[in-house]
């Protein structure tokens, strides 16, 4: 008999706590739609008491998503729970998720509360949340380092107060799989009323054991797992959705558990998270890394060609990767192009589609192979683009072991060409300094990443930047075979988007983002 595991995705809440990963409202809504398509049971959309931006984002997600439950996080206080409820009340399936720490270390140093006070606060929080909705989750922060008997006591009281899901987190990523499995089993057996509710696990990856610990929890009775796409999250991150889901899928007969996840949406979700946050997935990352299905060693290639099962335990198609990476060319029609966009997770309007198809044809005339990544760059540059105030007309960079890195830049600013030059510690720094000086902008560069779009030294370089100015955050992207030009394009793209945000403060948050 197989039992179903509830997948609770917290990419929008815990995942967003990764350094530099903050997302705006429109980005969160876009990601939530993909999470719904992926089939996650619960989307934790944010922590509304943390900021007004978080509150707005949870409300926007709650209004948009129809099939997944929408959870909002709240500390064990009336104010937090009020904000959480106000943000999710419009959801079709709302959930309030309240928490308090239970380990002595947190009680003593952070909360400065006694165990009895924590117990009382937990009960009051769950009761208060329950006055708004049937669907209440309670979490014991730092659960894995808490006294197991105290945990059972708090959990039992939370269930008595009406909690319907009880979550046991390994907040600091300290647990070992056998030990965590035993704790889950102990709590399961010794908590009054646990048989009436869902037991959940939430593991962090500080020792690289998040997936192993989560699976140990599931083997010992937990039936909800809290995860993020690509495993993003604070410090070393959270448990990754794709690893847990594909473990359950691939080793079904061993674990006897299933999920509702449409695994073919895993890759589109992974790419979207990476594109929105600017956090690149490491190439050897399980399931979603660029090399996860690449067979380089000759002996492996030979085996895979004869029969895939020799070295492949999962089919790339199962996680939404087309084996035929060389997808479109100049003879591809509009229909094939539209299909490809849909496969990549883009649902565009007719107008955008027509525009993009023309650009695609132009690119296909220049190059015979158009890869998925090239199409994503096209979408980013053509559709996510905003009216340009700044345009790059000319760039010359001098660098090397003897020269002081220098950039000479010609920009068109409001239609007028201007020229400037400047220095920096490296060629990209010199370029960015010069552009900032010429545009009179003071944005902070929060993130910079550079990637080769395809293999080989002739590959296009793709640069992604996140800029911050006056509370606005904008993502800029640029691609070019020359990495300095790609860097300049990305920076200017980001500046144009910041400019757009600054000029349109009255636009709704959703319109402002793209
Ligand atoms: Zn966490």
């Amino acid at each position: 008999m197989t039992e179903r595991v509830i997948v609770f995705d917290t990419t929008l809440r815990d995942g967003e706590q990764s350094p530099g990963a903050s997302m705006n409202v429109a980005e969160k809504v876009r990601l939530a739609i993909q999470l719904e398509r992926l089939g996650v049971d619960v989307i934790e959309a944010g922590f509304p008491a943390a900021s007004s931006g978080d509150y707005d984002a949870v409300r926007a997600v709650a209004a948009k998503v129809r099939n997944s439950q929408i959870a909002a996080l709240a500390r064990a206080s009336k104010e937090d729970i009020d904000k959480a409820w106000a943000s999710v009340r419009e959801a079709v399936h709302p959930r309030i998720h309240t928490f308090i720490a239970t380990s002595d270390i947190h009680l003593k140093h952070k909360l400065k509360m006694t165990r009895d006070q924590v117990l009382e606060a937990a009960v009051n929080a769950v009761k208060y949340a329950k006055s708004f909705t049937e669907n209440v989750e309670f979490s014991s922060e730092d659960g894995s380092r808490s006294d197991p008997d105290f945990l059972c006591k708090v959990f039992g009281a939370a269930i008595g107060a009406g909690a319907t899901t009880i979550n046991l987190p390994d907040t600091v990523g300290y647990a070992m799989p056998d030990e965590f499995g035993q704790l889950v089993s102990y709590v399961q057996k010794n908590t009054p009323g646990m048989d009436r509710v869902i037991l959940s696990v939430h593991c962090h990856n500080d020792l690289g054991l998040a997936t192993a610990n989560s699976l140990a929890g599931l083997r010992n009775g937990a039936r909800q797992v809290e995860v993020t796409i690509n495993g993003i999250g604070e410090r070393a991150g959270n448990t990754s959705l794709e690893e847990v889901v594909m473990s359950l899928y691939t080793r079904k007969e061993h674990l006897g558990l299933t999920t509702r996840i449409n695994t073919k949406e895993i890759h589109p979700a992974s790419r979207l998270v990476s594109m929105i946050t600017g956090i690149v997935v490491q190439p050897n990352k399980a399931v979603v890394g660029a090399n996860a299905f690449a067979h380089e060693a000759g002996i492996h290639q030979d085996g895979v060609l004869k029969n895939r099962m020799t070295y492949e335990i999962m089919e790339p198609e199962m996680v939404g990767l087309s084996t035929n990476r060389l997808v479109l060319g100049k003879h591809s029609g509009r229909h094939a192009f539209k299909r490809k966009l849909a496969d990549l997770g883009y649902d565009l309007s007719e107008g955008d589609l027509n525009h993009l198809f023309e650009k695609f044809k132009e690119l296909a005339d220049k190059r015979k192979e158009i890869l998925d990544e090239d199409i994503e760059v096209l979408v980013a540059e053509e559709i996510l683009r905003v009216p340009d105030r700044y345009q790059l007309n000319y760039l010359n960079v001098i660098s090397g072991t003897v020269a002081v890195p220098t950039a000479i830049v010609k920009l068109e600013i409001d239609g007028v060409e201007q020229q400037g030059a400047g220095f920096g510690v490296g060629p990209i720094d010199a370029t960015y300094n010069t552009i900032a000086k010429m545009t009179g902008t003071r944005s902070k560069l929060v993130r910079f990443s550079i990637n080769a779009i395809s293999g080989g030294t002739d590959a296009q370089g793709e640069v992604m930047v996140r800029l911050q100015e006056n509370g606005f955050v904008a993502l800029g992207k640029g691609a070019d075979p020359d990495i300095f030009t790609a860097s300049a394009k990305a920076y200017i793209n980001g500046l144009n988007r910041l400019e757009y945000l600054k000029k349109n403060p009255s636009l709704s948050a959703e319109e402002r983002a793209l």
Side-chain angles (χ1 to χ4, degrees):
M1 189 190 79
T2 56
E3 277 186 65
R4 193 161 80 76
V5 171
I6 295 168
V7 176
F8 175 113
D9 181 281
T10 183
T11 306
L12 295 173
R13 203 276 300 167
D14 222 351
E16 203 208 10
Q17 289 176 17
S18 316
S22 59
M23 303 170 226
N24 63 31
V25 174
E27 289 167 337
K28 285 193 173 181
V29 170
R30 199 161 158 227
L31 189 50
I33 293 168
Q34 177 59 26
L35 291 171
E36 188 181 32
R37 200 177 288 158
L38 180 63
V40 310
D41 299 279
V42 188
I43 296 173
E44 184 162 58
F47 185 1
S51 74
S52 62
D54 239 27
Y55 175 85
D56 291 341
V58 179
R59 279 199 65 165
V61 169
K64 195 89 183 174
V65 172
R66 314 250 57 93
N67 299 320
S68 310
Q69 297 177 38
I70 305 299
L73 186 69
R75 282 165 297 201
S77 79
K78 279 198 166 177
E79 300 74 51
D80 271 35
I81 294 168
D82 281 335
K83 283 201 180 115
W85 177 244
S87 68
V88 290
R89 62 183 305 162
E90 304 293 334
V92 179
H93 311 286
R95 173 183 290 197
I96 297 175
H97 178 192
T98 186
F99 74 98
I100 193 163
T102 49
S103 67
D104 289 333
I105 223 171
H106 277 234
L107 262 59
K108 188 172 166 209
H109 301 288
K110 192 179 82 171
L111 298 176
K112 303 197 186 332
M113 287 166 84
T114 64
R115 284 188 177 188
D116 284 343
Q117 286 170 324
V118 163
L119 186 70
E120 196 189 329
V123 168
N124 289 341
V126 172
K127 272 192 185 148
Y128 190 58
K130 194 77 176 179
S131 70
F132 298 114
T133 173
E134 263 307 300
N135 190 349
V136 176
E137 172 168 342
F138 172 76
S139 282
S140 59
E141 189 186 3
D142 206 19
S144 59
R145 291 194 300 172
S146 303
D147 167 21
D149 291 319
F150 181 56
L151 259 189
C152 295
K153 200 169 163 187
V154 176
F155 285 164
I159 294 167
T164 43
T165 300
I166 292 291
N167 180 43
L168 173 50
D170 181 26
T171 306
V172 290
Y174 181 72
M176 292 285 133
D178 54 345
E179 171 191 57
F180 191 66
Q182 277 164 23
L183 180 64
V184 169
S185 165
Y186 186 82
V187 161
Q188 167 92 345
K189 290 190 185 109
N190 294 287
T191 301
M194 193 59 100
D195 53 324
R196 300 200 305 270
V197 302
I198 298 283
L199 180 55
S200 165
V201 288
H202 175 117
C203 299
H204 278 264
N205 204 32
D206 296 70
L207 293 171
L209 293 171
T211 299
N213 285 335
S214 296
L215 291 174
L218 294 175
R219 291 208 71 163
N220 284 280
R223 286 296 174 267
Q224 173 176 288
V225 62
E226 304 199 352
V227 291
T228 63
I229 304 288
N230 297 342
I232 66 167
E234 218 159 354
R235 309 185 308 277
N238 286 56
T239 306
S240 21
L241 178 143
E242 61 277 6
E243 293 176 12
V244 171
V245 167
M246 290 317 288
S247 293
L248 295 183
Y249 179 83
T250 308
R251 302 303 309 275
K252 220 172 343 200
E253 74 302 328
H254 183 68
L255 295 158
L257 296 168
T258 57
T259 69
R260 249 189 58 205
I261 296 295
N262 174 5
T263 58
K264 295 201 164 141
E265 292 293 341
I266 286 178
H267 253 269
S270 165
R271 279 195 300 261
L272 187 61
V273 167
S274 170
M275 202 169 102
I276 288 176
T277 61
I279 299 175
V280 177
V281 177
Q282 77 194 55
N284 58 323
K285 170 79 176 62
V287 186
V288 294
N291 295 345
F293 293 95
H295 300 271
E296 288 284 334
I299 186 169
H300 286 205
Q301 279 186 351
D302 184 52
V304 169
L305 285 176
K306 284 178 181 143
N307 184 344
R308 277 174 145 196
M309 294 302 282
T310 47
Y311 287 100
E312 238 172 49
I313 60 163
M314 294 174 271
E315 289 175 351
E317 294 85 355
M318 270 319 295
V319 297
L321 257 187
S322 45
T323 34
N324 186 5
R325 277 169 54 82
L326 186 147
V327 279
L328 297 175
K330 67 186 290 184
H331 301 296
S332 305
R334 199 171 169 287
H335 184 73
F337 184 64
K338 191 177 173 178
R339 251 313 278 283
K340 188 73 224 169
L341 283 171
D343 287 349
L344 292 171
Y346 296 108
D347 182 15
L348 301 181
S349 70
E350 274 305 290
D352 283 344
L353 185 70
N354 290 336
H355 174 70
L356 207 61
F357 186 60
E358 270 174 42
K359 293 287 162 189
F360 161 74
K361 281 291 184 189
E362 283 172 23
L363 188 64
D365 277 340
K366 284 187 232 155
R367 302 179 26 193
K368 60 177 197 288
E369 299 176 355
I370 308 284
L371 305 176
D372 288 0
E373 291 84 344
D374 293 311
I375 293 173
E376 292 196 311
V377 170
L378 266 188
V379 175
E381 287 193 344
E382 297 299 327
I383 304 300
L384 309 182
R385 187 205 54 185
V386 295
D388 289 346
R389 179 169 182 216
Y390 310 119
Q391 198 189 309
L392 180 70
N393 283 359
Y394 171 88
L395 173 69
N396 182 19
V397 194
I398 302 154
S399 68
T401 50
V402 288
V404 176
T406 311
I408 301 142
V409 180
K410 278 186 194 168
L411 287 183
E412 209 168 289
I413 304 177
D414 295 326
V416 182
E417 188 172 87
Q418 300 189 22
Q419 183 173 313
F423 307 109
V425 292
I428 292 171
D429 188 48
T431 306
Y432 283 19
N433 286 343
T434 309
I435 294 172
K437 199 167 65 188
M438 290 173 73
T439 54
T441 51
R442 296 175 181 283
S443 65
K444 197 174 134 212
L445 182 66
V446 212
R447 182 173 288 277
F448 176 91
S449 72
I450 185 158
N451 263 299
I453 291 185
S454 48
T457 48
D458 61 345
Q460 287 217 83
E462 183 191 43
V463 174
M464 191 145 43
V465 297
R466 272 183 99 83
L467 304 177
Q468 198 171 30
E469 194 178 3
N470 301 332
F472 295 109
V473 180
L475 187 73
K477 286 187 115 185
D480 198 275
D482 176 281
I483 55 167
F484 303 127
T485 307
S487 304
K489 279 184 178 175
Y491 188 51
I492 289 167
N493 180 239
L495 288 178
N496 278 320
R497 292 180 70 177
L498 270 180
E499 206 60 36
Y500 182 74
L501 294 177
K502 284 189 269 177
K503 274 211 184 113
N504 297 283
S506 61
L507 289 176
S508 79
E510 221 173 305
E511 285 169 303
R512 267 196 271 139
L514 292 184

